[in-house]
Amino acid sequence: MNGTTPRPRAYVLGAEMRDARQKSGLALRRLAAILDVSHSVLVRWERGDRVPSAESVSAVCAVLGSSATARNRMLKLAREAAAEPPPSTPIGVPGQSDQLATLLEFERTATRITDVATNVVPGLLQAPEYARAIIHAGEAENADKRVALRLGRREIITRRRSPVHYRALILETALHQPIGDPGTLLEQLRLLLELGAQDTVEIRVIPNSAGWTPAHSGDFFLLEFSKAAPVVHLEHHRGSVFLQSESDVAAFVRARDEVERVAMSCADSAELITGIIARARAA
């Protein structure tokens, strides 16, 4: 698999420009000729490999006849993309910081996220003490800041304006995994019920009775956008990687679809979680 650290705003901007050009019916080489730039430059702009200047974006919009709204949106993305740091290695502490910043930007611009979790509750759904127990167990340094950052990421699914549609597919075993003390797990399960009641949040459990599923191969995070192609984020102990190639992403989309076919409905999942809480209280 080919993993890279993309620039999120540049990636989304490129998709917006490509979509506008395709809707106009103008071929890539024809647009390049009108703008008097090389074909390869336009290719890099549309792929998000290179950030066009604000003047170049304005010129493209003028040729394509883009609306003022579309033009302003692309200019805003161009300014933000120009301020993005260049990609760096995904391994080690500096790389972890860059990867997290990239993930945060992708989360903010995504329209739909599917989070497949195998061993613990996904980060976007974690309760404070649950997150603290996990982070302290892994690396205690700056734990409080890392917990606050993890909890702050949930804003993308709880914000009032245009929240991301979020779907969590969680292995049933993760709901029984002892994290922290018994009270910590109960707090976490209650939060799952609360968040799952939101219209834009789906929490679905993969039952033990389903047997082996692609989820058992490991966690993955699928981000989808209004116009840009999907991106997959994979995380491990000391770093993470983004997958963008069409074949790699397609494999994870198929895995997502297969897991969804065997996962319980939201209502049945909530009933299961409620039962786990009731049994824990009675114990």
Side-chain angles (χ1 to χ4, degrees):
M1 292 183 181
N2 181 26
T4 61
T5 305
R7 298 187 186 188
R9 299 292 177 178
Y11 183 71
V12 174
L13 171 61
E16 292 266 354
M17 295 177 69
R18 181 174 61 252
D19 181 72
R21 178 184 58 77
Q22 290 173 341
K23 286 180 177 176
S24 75
L26 202 61
L28 193 65
R29 291 188 182 279
R30 177 57 180 159
L31 177 59
I34 295 173
L35 296 173
D36 193 24
V37 298
S38 72
H39 167 263
S40 62
V41 167
L42 279 184
V43 170
R44 289 196 290 272
W45 286 352
E46 292 192 358
R47 287 179 179 172
D49 296 334
R50 180 172 174 178
V51 181
S53 65
E55 291 77 12
S56 295
V57 172
S58 292
V60 169
C61 289
V63 172
L64 300 180
S66 302
S67 67
T69 299
R71 175 181 174 277
N72 291 336
R73 182 174 63 249
M74 284 190 268
L75 284 172
K76 180 175 183 291
L77 282 168
R79 289 191 293 269
E80 292 172 344
E84 286 182 313
S88 66
T89 175
I91 302 300
V93 176
Q96 284 180 318
S97 177
D98 291 338
Q99 291 280 298
L100 179 57
T102 300
L103 177 60
L104 291 174
E105 285 303 314
F106 269 135
E107 287 178 344
R108 293 186 185 111
T109 54
T111 54
R112 182 181 297 269
I113 291 174
T114 302
D115 201 346
V116 177
T118 58
N119 297 313
V120 297
V121 170
L124 288 176
L125 302 178
Q126 289 178 5
E129 291 309 312
Y130 187 93
R132 193 179 309 279
I134 291 174
I135 289 173
H136 268 285
E139 190 173 337
E141 185 179 359
N142 297 320
D144 289 342
K145 291 182 179 179
R146 293 173 64 197
V147 169
L149 178 60
R150 181 167 298 186
L151 299 181
R153 287 174 57 201
R154 186 153 59 237
E155 183 267 342
I156 64 167
I157 62 175
T158 59
R159 63 195 181 198
R160 297 183 63 181
R161 183 176 180 181
S162 302
V164 174
H165 188 105
Y166 175 81
R167 176 181 296 139
L169 300 168
I170 309 171
L171 282 178
E172 184 178 348
T173 52
L175 303 177
H176 300 277
Q177 182 67 36
I179 302 292
D181 57 38
T184 296
L185 184 57
L186 281 175
E187 176 194 28
Q188 177 61 72
L189 294 175
R190 285 193 289 265
L191 180 61
L192 288 181
L193 293 177
E194 177 185 333
L195 293 172
Q198 295 184 196
D199 292 339
T200 56
V201 175
E202 297 180 42
I203 297 176
R204 300 178 59 187
V205 177
I206 307 161
N208 293 333
S209 60
W212 188 94
T213 73
H216 290 79
S217 296
D219 298 356
F220 64 89
F221 198 71
L222 175 66
L223 301 111
E224 298 174 89
F225 310 90
S226 61
K227 295 175 182 175
V231 172
V232 172
H233 181 247
L234 302 176
E235 188 172 4
H236 56 83
H237 180 58
R238 291 291 293 171
S240 61
V241 64
F242 290 93
L243 305 178
Q244 293 177 273
S245 79
E246 185 176 349
S247 60
D248 285 343
V249 173
F252 282 93
V253 169
R254 289 193 298 270
R256 185 272 311 274
D257 293 344
E258 187 173 341
V259 172
E260 284 187 336
R261 282 195 292 272
V262 299
M264 302 169 67
S265 67
C266 293
D268 288 344
S269 298
E271 184 177 348
L272 175 66
I273 295 171
T274 300
I276 297 173
I277 293 173
R279 289 190 293 274
R281 285 174 174 171

